[in-house]
Amino acid sequence: MTSTEAAPFSLEPGDDLREVQRWVHEFARDVIRPAAEEWDEREETPWPLIQEAAKIGLYSLDFFATQWLEPTGLGIPVAFEELFWGDAGIALSIVGTGLAAASIAAVGTPEQTGEWVPQMFGTPDDVKLGAFCASEPDAGSDVGAIRTRAVYEEASDEWVLNGRKTWATNGGIADVHVVVASVHPELGSRGQASFIVPPNTPGLKQGQKFKKHGIRASHTAEVILDDVRLPGSLIVGGKERFDERIARVREGKSAKAQAALKTFETTRPSVGAMALGVARAAYDYALEYAREREQFGRKIGDFQAVAFKLADMKCQIDAARLMVWRAAWMARNGKEFTSAEGSMAKLMASEAAVRCTEEAIQILGGNGYTREYPVERMHRDSKIFTIFEGTSEIQRLVIGRSITGLPVR
């Protein structure tokens, strides 16, 4: 199917997609959920669970590629929603490599994709990880402020990278890192490129590991680059293509979006699907609780105050899912995001997750505020989705610029 041939539209997933949904859901229910509390408390990478996912083919390049290329575009969103329904921290440990893989697949050469993406996953007997490193202490939402430098030495055909990255999922423990750096600082974000840092490259080390509010089973750390030397071929997309883009920029011509923004644009609907999984998990738990818990001689779900909360939660989840599916379908079928539909999906799903998990706590009352019940953890996990891969404020900025055509600031 070419990018101009849209898949037939349907709100009913096909048989193959439903089978994937069932398979991933069972793994989330039987393997992830029973371990969620333990790994949240340990705040460590759940290697045994990643290995379990690898053994059944869930953590593998084949699975990610197959779902990414699924004709309707819903393969990744459906799978991610189920995984994150299980637990966000463990799920992010399983899918975190996908962001790094997508960053190469989106703009890399076929040779780079073929060589390095498989190395990010490894094998079921020797699991590997990938890490995408964009944010910095002074460059989070403002990607154009990245200070990490990449200098090309023509004599040796090498890139030399220096800088400090932060908030990197799998940062420092990954086997392959993809690092966004500035080659031409005077050009801002248009002078940036991404670079592949192979395993055991001298000069790359882990900095601070962060103790987080939520998604605590997912490793988040600083990555320090001290005279990291890379072969000239490890600039994502190739040096020739990068030089051509810089030449167009200097001539005042339009250039394609730079690497970090291209990666985020590609993955935002997927992040929305992650948030959906957390929102649905909280809704499911609160719904069951409301059907069983009694106060004043009645099931609490029989009170309008509770039933209306559940009604709003259900509406928010279903509406956000439709936006996520629309954006994913558009991206897969080459439809341009003329109104920032990817940002719309991520914004609505992430904020729905925060609202739904908060309402779930409210429905459970005091029980919901304790760690004896999972909605407390879900609430902590949900907040990150309004922050990473573009804050809610940045999503609104992107959408505002798209719909007005004005440089909204």
Side-chain angles (χ1 to χ4, degrees):
M1 177 178 293
T2 67
S3 60
T4 58
E5 295 175 348
F9 181 78
S10 173
L11 291 176
E12 181 67 31
D15 291 342
D16 290 346
L17 202 53
R18 283 202 300 271
E19 177 59 26
V20 168
Q21 186 176 36
R22 181 196 61 78
W23 178 57
V24 178
H25 180 80
E26 289 178 354
F27 181 82
R29 181 193 65 204
D30 300 338
V31 180
I32 293 179
R33 279 211 163 176
E37 181 181 358
E38 174 190 351
W39 290 98
D40 178 70
E41 293 288 344
R42 290 176 63 166
E43 299 190 57
E44 297 174 358
T45 301
W47 288 105
L49 297 171
I50 300 174
Q51 290 166 342
E52 283 295 315
K55 287 177 182 177
I56 66 168
L58 181 54
Y59 182 79
S60 69
L61 173 57
D62 181 66
F63 176 77
F64 277 75
T66 299
Q67 300 314 310
W68 191 263
L69 297 174
E70 195 275 331
T72 66
L74 302 185
I76 289 291
V78 164
F80 280 15
E81 180 179 336
E82 298 306 323
L83 280 174
F84 282 74
W85 175 87
D87 177 70
I90 294 173
L92 193 57
S93 289
I94 293 173
V95 308
T97 293
L99 181 59
S103 70
I104 295 180
V107 294
T109 65
E111 293 76 17
Q112 289 172 338
T113 301
E115 180 176 0
W116 295 106
V117 174
Q119 291 190 47
M120 293 181 179
F121 291 92
T123 67
D125 296 323
D126 187 19
V127 170
K128 305 294 185 182
L129 298 175
F132 182 71
C133 308
S135 294
E136 298 183 2
D138 297 318
S141 295
D142 184 9
V143 177
I146 284 175
R147 293 182 181 178
T148 295
R149 286 296 311 275
V151 177
Y152 181 66
E153 293 186 353
E154 192 163 354
S156 60
D157 184 28
E158 287 183 315
W159 293 97
V160 182
L161 273 61
N162 284 280
R164 179 185 294 264
K165 293 296 181 178
T166 194
W167 313 125
T169 298
N170 298 336
I173 66 171
D175 298 274
V176 180
H177 290 74
V178 179
V179 176
V180 180
S182 178
V183 182
H184 302 285
E186 72 279 6
L187 298 179
S189 64
R190 296 176 299 171
Q192 296 171 359
S194 289
F195 297 85
I196 300 166
V197 184
N200 304 313
T201 298
L204 184 148
K205 65 180 182 180
Q206 179 184 312
Q208 176 186 3
K209 178 186 174 183
F210 296 103
K211 296 180 74 68
K212 304 187 298 295
H213 177 64
I215 56 168
R216 294 178 356 181
S218 173
H219 176 95
T220 309
E222 292 181 324
V223 173
I224 299 169
L225 303 118
D226 184 10
D227 283 337
V228 171
R229 305 186 76 89
L230 304 173
S233 61
L234 292 188
I235 179 172
V236 177
K239 187 172 185 300
E240 182 178 348
R241 191 192 306 175
F242 176 74
D243 289 341
E244 290 173 355
R245 177 163 67 83
I246 294 301
R248 289 197 301 272
V249 170
R250 294 196 187 282
E251 293 171 5
K253 297 178 181 178
S254 174
K256 295 180 180 178
Q258 55 91 3
L261 295 181
K262 180 68 174 177
T263 298
F264 292 144
E265 178 184 308
T266 302
T267 59
R268 275 174 181 158
S270 300
V271 176
M274 298 175 188
L276 269 175
V278 179
R280 196 184 99 218
Y283 165 77
D284 286 350
Y285 197 92
L287 176 62
E288 190 62 28
Y289 186 90
R291 286 170 169 167
E292 295 179 356
R293 172 75 167 171
E294 290 190 4
Q295 289 285 280
F296 306 103
R298 299 161 64 184
K299 306 292 187 185
I300 65 170
D302 194 29
F303 294 100
Q304 273 191 13
V306 172
F308 282 13
K309 288 182 184 299
L310 291 166
D312 287 343
M313 292 162 73
K314 178 63 171 170
C315 288
Q316 290 164 11
I317 291 167
D318 282 18
R321 183 181 295 108
L322 288 172
M323 296 187 77
V324 167
W325 283 16
R326 177 183 68 170
W329 177 85
M330 290 176 67
R332 178 66 184 90
N333 289 287
K335 306 295 183 183
E336 186 179 354
F337 287 169
T338 56
S339 298
E341 285 85 356
S343 289
M344 291 170 68
K346 196 265 186 182
L347 172 67
M348 295 301 289
S350 62
E351 298 207 338
V354 172
R355 288 193 298 268
C356 289
T357 55
E358 182 172 3
E359 290 289 51
I361 290 176
Q362 196 70 19
I363 290 170
L364 269 68
N367 286 336
Y369 198 67
T370 71
R371 293 191 184 181
E372 299 298 316
Y373 291 79
V375 293
E376 178 272 340
R377 183 180 68 251
M378 295 169 186
H379 184 50
R380 286 188 285 108
D381 290 343
S382 71
K383 186 56 190 169
I384 191 59
F385 296 102
T386 67
I387 298 172
F388 71 179
E389 291 204 50
T391 64
S392 289
E393 291 75 17
I394 289 297
Q395 307 304 333
R396 288 185 169 91
L397 188 68
V398 172
I399 297 165
R401 288 174 176 172
S402 295
I403 62 178
T404 66
L406 298 172
V408 181
R409 302 192 186 282

